Amino acid sequence: MSAKIIHKTVNLKASPERVWQVLLESPYIEEWYAEFGEDLKVETDWSPGSKYRVVDKNGFGMIGKIAENVPMKTLSIEPEGMVKDHKDDFESAEAKQLKGNRETYWLSETAEGTKLDIESACSEEYADMMADMWDKALVIIKKLSEK
């Protein structure tokens, strides 16, 4: 797979603790994740090495692991496969395309609050669509963080 790296940055008038809460905790995560799919549910305890599963109401999604979690600083997720019809799939060609990618969030404290950087790898064919989804998700993250 030819991967394209999407990089986005947003400055938030909120503490790193608040931004971290919005990124990882319910009900906030479901609100901004909605930009990537309808009724997505996240299953993980967020600890490094733990399983990460995000699945929509129809049983489709992505499975991976938490590669890194430094609270209020860095979160990295490594996709390892797909979820199809509520079943984990690591072997299909589509699932194998996800392996080796990473989605990473970096938070840094600023005088005004927090700078959030994200990097997300995806295939070239979906890069424009994913970049647009990230733009919309970051608007929601900003709104929730600055409440």
Side-chain angles (χ1 to χ4, degrees):
M1 172 188 77
S2 175
K4 177 161 175 120
I5 305 295
I6 297 167
H7 184 256
K8 301 284 181 178
T9 299
V10 64
N11 290 301
L12 307 162
K13 292 178 183 169
S15 68
E17 293 82 7
R18 174 62 179 164
V19 176
W20 196 254
Q21 180 184 36
V22 168
L23 290 176
L24 274 61
E25 293 181 16
S26 197
Y28 312 109
I29 191 170
E30 289 86 4
E31 193 168 335
W32 67 268
Y33 256 40
E35 292 304 325
F36 299 96
E38 190 178 354
D39 292 327
L40 291 175
K41 300 292 181 223
V42 178
E43 304 166 12
T44 186
D45 68 6
W46 300 110
S47 61
S50 69
K51 184 176 177 179
Y52 168 87
R53 205 167 185 264
V54 59
V55 183
D56 70 14
K57 67 180 183 178
N58 298 312
F60 293 90
M62 191 263 298
I63 187 166
K65 70 177 179 183
I66 304 301
E68 183 179 10
N69 182 340
V70 180
M72 275 75 65
K73 298 277 186 202
T74 307
L75 176 70
S76 259
I77 302 164
E78 287 183 357
E80 296 179 327
M82 303 189 67
V83 180
K84 292 182 180 177
D85 197 25
H86 300 283
K87 294 182 178 92
D88 296 349
D89 167 23
F90 300 100
E91 300 307 320
S92 71
E94 193 176 12
K96 287 180 180 179
Q97 284 185 347
L98 294 172
K99 292 179 184 176
N101 288 333
R102 195 175 265 224
E103 183 174 296
T104 304
Y105 306 76
W106 293 278
L107 284 72
S108 49
E109 196 164 3
T110 66
E112 297 80 30
T114 305
K115 180 175 125 181
L116 171 63
D117 290 289
I118 64 102
E119 269 188 10
S120 182
C122 67
S123 65
E124 284 280 345
E125 66 184 295
Y126 297 114
D128 289 341
M129 179 183 72
M130 288 298 293
D132 185 51
M133 289 176 175
W134 270 114
D135 287 339
K136 292 174 182 172
L138 288 172
V139 167
I140 295 169
I141 290 168
K142 183 173 179 70
K143 180 187 92 176
L144 294 170
S145 296
E146 295 179 350
K147 264 188 178 175

